[in-house]
Amino acid sequence: MTGPPDFPALRAKLASGDGPRFWRSLDAVADSPEFRDYLAAEFPSASQLAAAPERRGFLKLMAASFALGGLTACGGAGGRDHEVPYVNQPERIVPGTDLAYASSALFDGFGNGILVTTRNGRPLKIEGNPDHPWSRGGTDVLAQASVLGLYDPFRSQAVQHLGRPSSWAAFRTALQAQMPAWRGTGGAGLALLTGPVTSPTVAAQIARLRAAYPALRWHVGAGAGRAGLYEGARLAYGRPLETIPDFDRARTIVALDGDFLDLGPGQVGLSRRWSAARRAAYAEGRLLTLHAAAPTPTLTSAKADVSVPVQAARLEALARALLGLAEGGAAPSGDDPVARWTRGAGKALTEARGAGLVTAGLTASPALHDLVHRLNGALGNTGTTLRLTEPAEAQGAGTLADLADAMARGTVTALIVLGANPVYEAPGALDLAAGMGRVPLKIHAGLYADETAAHADWHLPVAHPLESWGDVRSLDGTVGLIQPTIAPFYNGRTLPQMLAFLADGTGGDGAEDALGLLKARWREQGTDEAAFEAGFSEALRQGFWADSARPAETVALTQVAAISPYDVHTPPAEATSPPEPFDGTDTPDLARALPPPQRGEGDT
Amino acid sequence: MAGALVDGSLIPPEETLQGIGGAVTAIPLTHPGNRRWWIAFAGAGALLGIFAVTLAYLLYAGPGIWGNNNAVVWALDIASYDWWIGVASGSLLVSAILLLLGAEWRGAVNRVAETLALLATAAAGLYPIIHLGRPWFFFWNLPYPNTYDLWPQFRSPLLWDAIDIVSFLVICVSLWFIGLLPDLATLRDRAFAEAMRQADAKAPTRGLALLRAQVYGIVASGWRGSAAHWQIWVQAYRTVALLGVLLVVSVQTGASVMLAGSLMPGWHSTLLPVSFLINAVYSGVGVTAMIVMLIRLVYGLDTLVTPRHLDVLGRLLLCLGCASAYCYAAEAFDTFLNGDAQGRAVLVRRLTGDHALVSWTAILSLVLPAQVLWSARARTAPLVLAAVGLLVAIGAYADHVMVLVVTLTQDFLPSSRLPYGVDPWGIATFAGSIGLFLTLLLLFLRYLPAVSIVESRRLALAEVPAAQEAARAATSRTAARPEEDPVAAPLWGVSATFASQGDLAAALQAVSGLGPDHVRLDGHGPVPMPRTLRPLGLEGRSILPYALAGALLGGAGFFAMCVYATAYDYVFLIGGRPRLSWPSFVVPSLSFATMAGCVAIHGALLVLNRLPRLNHPAFNIPGFLRASDDRFFLTAEARSDRFDAGKIERRLTGLPAEAGRPLEIRRIPR
Amino acid sequence: MAQLFTPGADALYRLALMTGVACLVGLPVLAAGIVRSNYVTGVGVAPAQPLPFSHKHHSGELGIDCRYCHTTVDKEATAGIPPTQTCMTCHSQIWTGSDMLKPVRDSYAQDIPLEWKRLNKLPQYVYYNHSVHVTKGIGCSTCHGDVTAMQMTYRANAFEMRFCLDCHRAPEKYVRPPDQVWNMTWTPPADQATLGPKLAAEYHIRGGARLTECGICHR
């Protein structure tokens, strides 16, 4: 702490005096004024003890601790000796009874409708909201377990600056000092990193932020993002689109590494729809067959009537074979399981033209998505058994790789990470931790003081969804509302609150009103105040804005892109930078390596 | 029975009553081999310390420290319990059966067997309590008036066991104490003689010597060796032994039906209770043989524990060893012939599975070592007997572990299969309970007579010429003459001293007609005196009605409680069993009946004999201390003013020397 | 010859023996008595409360219905302790200056709840539901005693398991017609022996075997 210790002096000190001496560091032995100051600053309560480490004082304190510790036995049975009623009993709150609130659970930024059961003001159990048009009463394990996260004592509890406890006021002051400079440059060098954003309020706040700082770059990082999926749609239709299957109109389903039953943003809604459709088909006396080909066993392939393991690299060839079949070509010959499977799936699809359904999953390559779109188009399924809608996720953000690039080049002067942990989640090749080292100002907001927080200057605690206001879209675009079921435990804020502050740099504690921000977003819809309040209350009661799902888009396929599955890796001539090595999981990188999509009529 | 089997005598020909008393009481009073005792005691104390540490950790952490798990809920704890209660049962059975059969040579064995039974029960009784998760609620097992309005479940062998152990402890203490009572009086008198000697010599330890005599005196409850005492004592001893035999069957039923009554493969068998009982008796005899050999060796009691005793013990072990072998063979035969697949699998797992070592230890130690005893030389070799006893004890323990663990690690449900490994804490607990046992045993050896003095004396009187010679010589030496005591105090009565029971009986006969209203006659001696009962008019007095009434009342009361609780007050449907499940009430009722009978016998023993009397005028008789040694006394107590001491004295002095003339006549003050 | 013991030793010894036997019998009886005593169970003991609220006055003399304050007694598991606001419905109008009611006014003004000493406490491993008892003809006074006669409220019954079982084994001894549930002075009518089973059947109370299952209360 104060340079190398003066060993002879230390030895002399230890040798003098009577009896053995005890110490916890060499600094303590030296007992220098610097050490005293340090101790007084760091452990104010201990400095007195350190100043007079006498045996009697120590024994006195220990004796008192023991004696007072014994007092804990004097209490009643678990604090049940008193009845403490309300002063003013809130309506509907009856001590000891259940009260459920409709809210939304988040999965990779997408929402599912949930009902949070509270008792005595504490959320205890999460179940699906049966009225929610997307999730239809289902939940996944993460939603069920999120109530545990609320009570997790390891949640981030306070603002930290350079790893030391700080305050929101200090953060605000520090940022307000920076903001004039940002405004002057239009936010050049500012980078915002978020998870996938579906929340209309957050999207609006980001839009405001980008309006305030036009040069700000926004990046989205997600473990298994939907960028590849959107890129596939762009290849097929010229713009990013979400594919929503309608299983109840289908007579057969072919999943090419489709993972609609597996954990993901779509799982809850899609598995409900699939099982309902399957049951309905059974009631009609037929089987809604599911053919699955996947490189690894998944829930979907396990549930399939006919499933086959296929290497990921062969999936596109398989799709081409099916496409050939659909267009009247010959069935593939051969007696291997894949060929047999392909013949069976192709036969089922061609027999159910307009009532078949081909799906591909989150980890599939854009080319495969493209081929699947074309296959569905060729079979006449598009528009009948599947709907194409505008993506629920806000578009227009850069990728993590872009960010890593920019950080490596040193063009990022301030990095704001909201609700993401890229240091932990991003591919190791991007080396975000090293990149962050080159950024002068790093701000991280998250539920936990995680790896990214460790590399950041400021860490801000985010409020848990069960204690915050907000909104979120489901996969089909339905807007679910998030309402608090308990007063915030710690000093956390919601993302819209933080974004609002970052956009204008004003606002005290009261002005960053999360509910106000939420209402402001929806009041833009333009009705009078009373009608809005009534509508908003009804939406809160239900847990979602009724009929807010995205409508089906009218689309047309582009010209068939002549991409062989094996051409994916060849860099296009106009690419300026060498492509990132493609490891098969990082679809955004793959998207970057693809040639620019050809424009079609559907793209306006 | 034993006489036909062996050559050599049960007791050396030169043994006298005084000699027997001296040899046995010397151990607690002067304690030879003090150094060896202290070494052994230190070892036992260390084990007891381990027990204390283990129990403290157990209370803190719970039974999981033994390695027991959700499937193997019973392992070393219940194996130890079964083993201890088996040793106790076997020892008790040995002692009780020898007593009931009237084997006159049993004096050398029965005290050790009774003590083993008592101490093993104490060790066993701890296990069911400490293996509970919350041992401080052990009394929830017993039917006590509670605010829950609940009864324990009388249909469960677990409850039978609770009642059994309590009864067993009472019977063991009782049998042990009744047997010990006259010997305690002998000890008291010898300690008192020593205390008086020290008082005369103004020895510095005289206070301690007197205290020791008083402690023995309090425990002896004023036993005077009166003919009436002896009569009731003999009956009480035999009746408690009979109850003990009944209880052994009942206890082993409780312990074995707990297993056999379940549906578990390898347990659910009608043969299991039989092999349980046989192995229990076997291990009890084995441990008894081992300890008897040890005491014989350490204290040099070769004269009292003779080769003939060893031979009998050896034959008993051999016989039980063959029975045990038969049980194993029958179990294997029965299982393979008509057992189900699960039962066969258990048998195979026992012999080849994870715990095969334990199983083979059990089978080999129980079956093979006893076969050595076909040789007569091996039977009379103390070390061989002790070794066989030790191996049998080990085998019996391994047998319990095998039966419990192999079945529990893998029953019908694949989901409830968990492996089990012996945990050091389980072994430490068992070692600790051995420490408890040994500590108590060493204390017993240190302070109480290890061999029954009374039984050895009876044997000596019956068989040994020296004892009879001594009596005859004493008679011929002396001329009876009333000694004039210048006593001013009021007269209590007249006493006369004799050298043999025969003389006493003759004298009693002679004076019995003298004013029965104002004279109360009694005889006192170191052994039971059946020949004096007729002259005393005590013939036909029996303790049996009391025992019977106590047992019947207790048993019927307990049975009625079971019926009331289970069929009327606490109706609880368990697996469709009938409300009135009377067969399951029989076992605890029987146990309780034996305990109630035993308590009644104790009451009768005290009340009929008007005991305890610590201070009694009879103790004023000069030389009365020898009433617990080698002298017989006649007392004629004055009941009214018309008592004529002179008349009695004249009548006594007038008797012929061979037919009842006393050695000494005294007038005794009140 | 000397005696080892003095004549008095006999009396002492017998006294000690009898004391031992008496203790063997007496100590468990004493312990059982202590466990059941009001000292341990707290029956009949009215603790000091934040203010001397009288059930006798409000419920007995003024005739305020139980459900005016204990609003959820017939709807929920808990009967409900009234919020301060309930007190103030009347006491904002009457006795507004009373010293006795100062804690109520303070609580209301400062928004600090009143802390009442808890009287009736079940162990946490016991499930109890007020509404099912009240709606199936078990009156308040069966468990809580005649509250309308209590100047200061006290525990009327020790809620030991046998207290619950007494009724659960034979509910027909205690069921009342629906209109008698709130009657604090109800005693079983002469024809309870015939009325009880009839009412139990009407309430669909399955007695005895069902109501004494462990899982009914220990869920």
Side-chain angles (χ1 to χ4, degrees), chain A residues 337-429:
Chain A
V338 179
R340 275 203 301 276
W341 181 89
T342 314
R343 283 197 296 275
K347 183 161 172 281
L349 282 177
T350 46
E351 280 174 3
R353 278 180 189 276
L357 182 53
V358 188
T359 68
L362 266 186
T363 54
S365 66
L368 182 59
H369 279 292
D370 177 29
L371 283 169
V372 165
H373 283 305
R374 293 178 192 285
L375 184 52
N376 276 322
L379 290 166
N381 300 335
T382 311
T384 57
T385 60
L386 53 90
R387 274 185 299 139
L388 292 165
T389 65
E390 196 185 318
E393 187 179 334
Q395 302 291 305
T399 64
L400 260 182
D402 296 340
L403 177 63
D405 236 29
M407 289 198 297
R409 285 200 308 273
T411 57
V412 179
T413 55
L415 171 66
I416 302 163
V417 182
L418 294 186
N421 183 12
V423 172
Y424 178 77
E425 292 169 351

Side-chain angles (χ1 to χ4, degrees), chain A residues 82-88, chain C residues 49-53 81-88 100-117:
Chain A
H82 289 89
E83 310 238 31
V84 186
Y86 281 100
V87 174
N88 286 296
Chain C
Q49 299 284 8
L51 69 151
F53 175 81
I81 302 290
T84 312
Q85 195 184 19
T86 304
C87 310
M88 293 302 282
M100 206 187 268
L101 291 170
K102 190 167 181 305
V104 179
R105 291 192 301 273
D106 287 351
S107 158
Y108 196 65
Q110 298 163 13
D111 199 20
I112 296 170
L114 291 163
E115 286 200 19
W116 301 93
K117 279 263 170 58

Side-chain angles (χ1 to χ4, degrees), chain B residues 101-158:
Chain B
L101 293 180
E104 65 277 19
W105 52 272
R106 67 194 193 87
V109 178
N110 78 324
R111 175 65 40 77
V112 174
E114 284 160 16
T115 311
L116 289 188
L118 174 61
L119 302 186
T121 312
L126 279 176
Y127 269 102
I129 293 176
I130 62 172
H131 98 292
L132 301 171
R134 289 179 285 173
W136 48 94
F137 287 133
F138 76 93
F139 58 91
W140 283 3
N141 273 322
L142 303 173
Y144 74 101
N146 56 64
T147 59
Y148 310 115
D149 233 1
L150 295 181
W151 286 93
Q153 186 47 257
F154 291 105
R155 287 178 283 215
S156 160
L158 291 166

Side-chain angles (χ1 to χ4, degrees), chain B residues 327-417:
Chain B
C327 280
Y328 278 118
E331 187 180 356
F333 182 72
D334 182 57
T335 307
F336 280 121
L337 194 69
N338 62 10
D340 59 3
Q342 303 281 353
R344 282 198 296 276
V346 165
L347 199 58
V348 170
R349 267 208 318 283
R350 281 182 186 172
L351 301 182
T352 61
D354 290 344
H355 303 94
L357 185 65
V358 172
S359 310
W360 286 109
T361 306
I363 294 168
L364 296 182
S365 305
L366 285 177
V367 172
L368 290 188
Q371 305 306 319
V372 173
L373 301 174
W374 287 106
S375 145
R377 267 185 61 205
R379 282 203 298 276
T380 48
L383 282 178
V384 173
L385 267 188
V388 171
L390 181 66
L391 283 173
V392 167
I394 292 171
Y397 193 87
D399 178 73
H400 287 303
V401 175
M402 168 186 86
V403 168
L404 288 169
V405 170
V406 173
T407 293
L408 284 173
T409 43
Q410 184 171 338
D411 66 1
F412 300 110
L413 284 176
S415 59
S416 60
R417 286 176 191 169

Side-chain angles (χ1 to χ4, degrees), chain A residues 233-429:
Chain A
R234 200 199 305 276
L235 290 175
Y237 300 112
R239 58 179 170 136
L241 288 168
E242 192 71 64
T243 313
I244 309 289
D246 270 340
F247 294 118
D248 44 1
R249 296 200 196 160
R251 290 218 307 277
T252 191
I253 304 167
V254 173
L256 295 174
D257 197 13
D259 53 5
F260 57 89
L261 295 181
D262 290 275
L263 200 58
Q267 183 194 30
V268 174
L270 289 175
S271 55
R272 287 256 151 178
R273 282 165 173 73
W274 176 77
S275 56
R278 181 117 166 152
R279 218 171 279 130
Y282 179 74
E284 290 170 19
R286 62 188 173 85
L287 179 67
L288 174 55
T289 48
L290 173 55
H291 303 257
T296 53
T298 61
L299 283 181
T300 314
S301 66
K303 275 285 179 191
D305 304 295
V306 193
S307 87
V308 69
V310 180
Q311 291 159 350
R314 281 188 65 188
L315 278 172
E316 283 169 35
L318 201 59
R320 281 178 195 287
L322 286 176
L323 191 56
L325 264 174
E327 286 164 352
S333 57
D335 199 31
D336 59 317
V338 179
R340 275 203 301 276
W341 181 89
T342 314
R343 283 197 296 275
K347 183 161 172 281
L349 282 177
T350 46
E351 280 174 3
R353 278 180 189 276
L357 182 53
V358 188
T359 68
L362 266 186
T363 54
S365 66
L368 182 59
H369 279 292
D370 177 29
L371 283 169
V372 165
H373 283 305
R374 293 178 192 285
L375 184 52
N376 276 322
L379 290 166
N381 300 335
T382 311
T384 57
T385 60
L386 53 90
R387 274 185 299 139
L388 292 165
T389 65
E390 196 185 318
E393 187 179 334
Q395 302 291 305
T399 64
L400 260 182
D402 296 340
L403 177 63
D405 236 29
M407 289 198 297
R409 285 200 308 273
T411 57
V412 179
T413 55
L415 171 66
I416 302 163
V417 182
L418 294 186
N421 183 12
V423 172
Y424 178 77
E425 292 169 351

Side-chain angles (χ1 to χ4, degrees), chain A residues 87-143:
Chain A
V87 174
N88 286 296
Q89 186 151 349
E91 200 183 349
R92 285 195 293 275
I93 288 185
V94 180
T97 59
D98 299 343
L99 186 59
Y101 293 92
S103 188
S104 297
L106 297 177
F107 191 109
D108 267 356
F110 288 81
N112 282 315
I114 53 170
L115 293 180
V116 186
T117 303
T118 67
R119 177 175 282 210
N120 295 350
R122 282 174 185 76
L124 296 182
K125 183 79 179 85
I126 289 177
E127 284 296 346
N129 180 357
D131 297 335
H132 194 275
W134 171 252
S135 58
R136 296 183 177 181
T139 49
D140 52 33
V141 286
L142 298 176

Side-chain angles (χ1 to χ4, degrees), chain A residues 4-74:
Chain A
D6 178 8
F7 283 111
L10 283 180
R11 284 204 189 92
K13 251 188 191 187
L14 284 173
S16 67
D18 56 0
R21 291 192 55 183
F22 302 98
W23 66 92
R24 299 186 66 170
S25 69
L26 291 177
D27 292 317
V29 186
D31 202 19
S32 59
E34 292 95 329
F35 174 71
R36 287 289 175 89
D37 291 346
Y38 162 74
L39 205 58
E42 193 72 351
F43 306 108
S45 55
S47 59
Q48 198 139 20
L49 261 182
E54 47 162 350
R55 187 179 52 87
R56 281 167 169 273
F58 174 77
L59 286 180
K60 263 190 252 171
L61 283 176
M62 290 311 289
S65 305
F66 274 120
L68 294 174
L71 286 182
T72 56
C74 300

